[in-house]
Amino acid sequence: MPINVAVVGCGHWGKNHVRNFAELGALKAVVDPDAKLAGSMAEQFGATAMSFEDAIADTAIDAVVIAAPAELHARLALQAFAAGKHVFAEKPIALTMADGEAMRDAAAKSGKVLMVGHLLQYHPAFVALRNFVRQGSLGKLRYAYSHRCSLGKFRLEENVLWSFAPHDVSMLLALFGEAPSGVSGSGGAFVSDGIEDEYRVDMQFPSGGCAHVFSSWLHPFKEHRLVVVGETGMAVFEDSAGGPEKLRLYRHVIETGAGAPVPTKADWEPIIYGDEEPLRSQCEHFLGACAGKHPPLTDGAEALRVLDVLIRAGK
């Protein structure tokens, strides 16, 4: 049986969900407080504009996709679970652990899927990198860092930690395969009072590795770079690059012995990755999870681990 979806929120990012679920033949309804926008999106993509209450009451709708502000996620998700719907929520899962845990528990109680939009877990280059690391191809991880920087889009409803860093924290936790034992963070607000434009998160892991996230929307150029350093190799996922340079492997060798360590540099090699659109892959994964084909990769438990890091870094 096909899965029918209602997308809640048709704005800046929600419209991309509308497009993808429509192209997958799963879009049944759209919901937005702007009735004119909802009507326009419904007409363009062959869906029905509905209120949220009507959408979750409609027995033909199996799942809701929440692309609304994070402070609304818990309330909308709890209503959807109570109505027997599967739920996809954009990142972050919620703004408090209590809300996120309530969403996780409601999903378990209802027997429905909860999936969260940590989009880069579905990027084909990161999928290849994650598999590469899990196969032991870099050896034990020593450290990793992620930079997610650009000029704008400036926001007033959230700082750059909550806007940018969830993606990077999610990727780093997946690579290390464990929750951090220590988290710290700091940032600076330079454009709007009280809204940090740049933020650094530091994580230490029980296995001995560490990771750093630097996020900024007050930056002279776009930089989306993840660097992973292991005992036997180093890898770079540079999303702002194209072609084979997007995912690179370096087999540098460091000779240790008498005196200072001596590095022998090696040319980079490409790591092969697919060409799927990350959002399309994420949407397909959600539909598959709703159909019982597999558990969601970025489920409530994974999203809560990310949320815990964000909250600890924000303190």
Side-chain angles (χ1 to χ4, degrees):
M1 291 286 291
I3 302 296
N4 291 321
V5 167
V7 175
V8 182
C10 302
H12 173 71
W13 186 243
K15 67 177 186 285
N16 296 316
H17 282 293
V18 171
R19 172 180 59 83
N20 271 277
F21 282 111
E23 291 173 354
L24 289 168
L27 184 69
K28 179 74 173 179
V30 295
V31 177
D32 196 275
D34 183 338
K36 184 176 180 181
L37 174 61
S40 172
M41 296 296 283
E43 182 178 0
Q44 182 179 352
F45 291 101
T48 303
M50 292 185 176
S51 69
F52 180 71
E53 290 73 20
D54 286 345
I56 61 173
D58 191 331
T59 57
I61 291 174
D62 307 293
V64 297
V65 173
I66 301 172
E71 62 265 24
L72 302 178
H73 287 182
R75 178 174 66 81
L76 296 173
L78 295 180
Q79 288 181 255
F81 285 130
K85 310 302 183 188
H86 302 288
V87 172
F88 173 96
E90 263 304 336
K91 59 83 184 167
I93 182 175
L95 298 181
T96 68
M97 290 299 290
D99 277 350
E101 289 166 352
M103 293 167 67
R104 175 202 61 195
D105 294 346
K109 182 178 179 181
S110 65
K112 298 298 180 180
V113 166
L114 170 60
M115 182 169 147
V116 177
H118 293 153
L119 178 65
L120 290 176
Q121 291 267 15
Y122 304 90
H123 192 300
F126 180 73
V127 171
L129 174 61
R130 185 177 62 220
N131 292 339
F132 201 74
V133 168
R134 290 181 177 177
Q135 291 163 6
S137 300
L138 296 181
K140 182 181 178 180
L141 296 191
R142 289 170 164 163
Y143 80 91
Y145 75 82
S146 186
H147 286 182
R148 187 164 304 277
C149 307
S150 61
L151 184 60
K153 172 187 176 185
F154 293 93
R155 293 162 172 82
L156 296 178
E157 70 277 7
E158 61 187 3
N159 65 16
V160 74
L161 169 70
W162 289 88
S163 184
F164 283 10
H167 292 302
D168 305 285
V169 172
S170 178
M171 288 192 293
L172 289 165
L173 296 188
L175 292 175
F176 279 89
E178 56 185 350
S181 51
V183 177
S184 61
S186 62
F190 304 104
V191 177
S192 302
D193 289 343
I195 308 292
E196 286 87 356
D197 307 293
E198 58 86 24
Y199 218 98
R200 173 173 167 144
V201 179
D202 295 305
M203 295 178 278
Q204 296 77 42
F205 292 92
S207 60
C210 63
H212 318 285
V213 175
F214 180 62
S215 305
S216 174
W217 57 42
L218 186 59
H219 198 262
F221 55 87
K222 185 175 182 178
E223 180 186 8
H224 292 174
R225 179 184 296 141
L226 171 63
V227 173
V228 185
V229 177
E231 290 180 328
T232 59
M234 307 176 184
V236 179
F237 168 28
E238 188 132 22
D239 200 16
S240 45
E245 293 191 15
K246 189 181 291 285
L247 188 57
R248 311 190 298 272
L249 170 67
Y250 293 84
R251 290 291 190 193
H252 303 318
V253 175
I254 301 173
E255 300 290 344
T256 58
V262 178
T264 300
K265 295 183 180 180
D267 292 334
W268 66 269
E269 312 164 29
I271 299 175
I272 304 303
Y273 62 92
D275 60 357
E276 301 86 1
E277 179 191 353
L279 183 56
R280 175 60 59 87
S281 295
Q282 181 179 259
C283 294
E284 289 175 333
H285 187 84
F286 177 60
L287 294 176
C290 293
K293 296 179 180 178
H294 50 247
L297 174 65
T298 50
D299 61 6
E302 190 270 344
L304 283 170
R305 290 191 291 270
V306 173
L307 179 60
D308 179 62
V309 171
L310 296 173
I311 291 173
R312 292 161 72 184
K315 292 179 179 177

